[in-house]
Amino acid sequence: MGLRRFDNKVVLITGAATGIGRATALRLAAEGATLILADRNLAGAQAACAEATERFGVRADAIAYDAADTASARDMVDTAIALHGCLDSLINNAGIYRRDHFARQTGDEWALVFRLNLESVFHVVQQALPTLIASRGNVVSTASTAGVDGIAYAAAYAASKAGIIAMTKSLATEYAPKGVRFNAICPGRVRTEIGTGLLPIDDQDPAISVRPSKLLGKIETGEPEDIAGAFAYLASDDASYVSGSVLVVDGAQTVG
Ligand SMILES: NC(=O)c1ccc[n+]([C@@H]2O[C@H](COP(=O)([O-])OP(=O)(O)OC[C@H]3O[C@@H](n4cnc5c(N)ncnc54)[C@H](O)[C@@H]3O)[C@@H](O)[C@H]2O)c1
């Protein structure tokens, strides 16, 4: 029998309809988690719930959630708590990626990326804090290697993910006395819809290349499942002494 670190644990995952969020949901389901999967793509979240229940016998509920909408963040958390009375882990994973020459980016695009990738996390975490304090729970947020190293043609995205990292470390300090852990994961390039958006754009400077994963050799991207295990670890009691950490999961893409 495999690990059962999430038996009797309630986990809310945003951006769980596809990609890394969905793979993480299924990984946690395999370990017994009760899931609430939130996404603006409700049909996708429902399909992920159905798969989790069918394959692993866990309870999984889908919630419509729009990260661009503050009220939606509050409703999502309130609905999750109403369903189960508590929340043990919150995984902030919903995000968007915009890629263009910096000179062509508009203030509206910059603001949108920040609203969806960073400000939304502020609203969700703030709403979830009372129940997380009560459960001595934890938060894992999806940042990016771009938030550590930057990435050409996506300054807004990189800055929003750097914000996730700074928020994570700040809250890890502020809420340590209350027993709530905060950690972030920095995936490298992963084969998802967002990962596809990392491919070159028109007029891209040829001197700026996409760095392949050194672990995978010629294959240029990791798979969502390669990231899911890191979420499972940080959200579990195996990481009970880990808070304020930023875990890079990129197949050695950004080192060396
Ligand atoms: N794929 C990569 O290479 C990569 C690398 C580093 C970080 N990330 C991060 O991983 C996270 C997941 O992305 P992914 O790669 O799995 O891509 P993805 O496009 O498959 O997943 C993104 C999910 O977020 C949801 N979403 C988008 N906008 C939303 C909104 N306004 N409200 C609610 N949900 C919304 C989408 O419906 C989707 O389910 C993102 O935060 C992304 O920035 C991805």
Side-chain angles (χ1 to χ4, degrees):
M1 190 166 128
L3 289 171
R4 299 290 300 186
R5 292 177 293 189
F6 293 92
D7 278 340
N8 304 313
K9 300 281 190 192
V10 180
V11 184
L12 169 60
I13 307 177
T14 70
T18 57
I20 293 168
R22 183 179 179 130
T24 299
L26 293 173
R27 172 59 198 264
L28 298 188
E31 294 201 36
T34 299
L35 295 172
I36 302 123
L37 305 185
D39 207 290
R40 72 174 169 187
N41 173 2
L42 182 60
Q46 286 168 333
C49 286
E51 186 176 351
T53 301
E54 199 173 302
R55 285 176 59 190
F56 305 110
V58 297
R59 174 161 178 190
D61 293 284
I63 299 181
Y65 162 61
D66 182 359
D69 177 4
T70 306
S72 179
R74 298 206 180 103
D75 290 348
M76 171 186 70
V77 173
D78 289 350
T79 305
I81 295 167
L83 279 169
H84 300 290
C86 70
L87 208 54
D88 295 292
S89 296
L90 164 65
I91 296 183
N92 295 303
N93 172 73
I96 59 163
Y97 185 74
R98 291 290 183 272
R99 184 168 168 79
D100 204 350
H101 294 265
F102 180 73
R104 291 204 298 235
Q105 288 168 15
T106 66
D108 284 350
E109 283 164 354
W110 187 280
L112 180 71
V113 170
F114 264 70
R115 189 157 79 246
L116 265 66
N117 288 0
L118 184 58
E119 190 186 324
S120 64
V121 177
F122 158 69
H123 294 297
V124 173
V125 170
Q126 200 174 59
Q127 191 72 6
L129 261 172
T131 191
L132 290 170
I133 290 169
S135 66
R136 297 181 77 80
N138 67 81
V139 178
V140 188
S141 300
T142 310
S144 168
T145 50
V148 180
D149 298 328
I151 187 166
Y153 308 110
Y157 178 80
S160 72
K161 294 301 188 179
I164 291 281
I165 292 169
M167 186 192 286
T168 295
K169 291 185 176 185
S170 303
L171 296 180
T173 307
E174 191 169 336
Y175 286 94
K178 305 238 183 244
V180 182
R181 298 187 295 108
F182 288 83
N183 292 293
I185 290 176
C186 293
R189 220 168 32 263
V190 180
R191 195 188 313 277
T192 67
E193 201 175 315
I194 283 182
T196 310
L198 301 178
L199 294 174
I201 52 170
D202 64 311
D203 301 333
Q204 179 167 326
D205 186 333
I208 301 173
S209 60
V210 177
R211 284 178 290 185
S213 153
K214 296 175 187 68
L215 268 185
L216 295 177
K218 282 185 185 165
I219 304 166
E220 286 207 333
T221 60
E223 301 295 334
E225 291 72 20
D226 294 326
I227 315 297
F231 279 98
Y233 164 64
L234 285 174
S236 79
D237 288 344
D238 277 348
S240 58
Y241 195 54
V242 182
S243 192
S245 79
V246 178
L247 180 56
V248 172
V249 187
D250 74 343
Q253 183 191 324
T254 52
V255 289

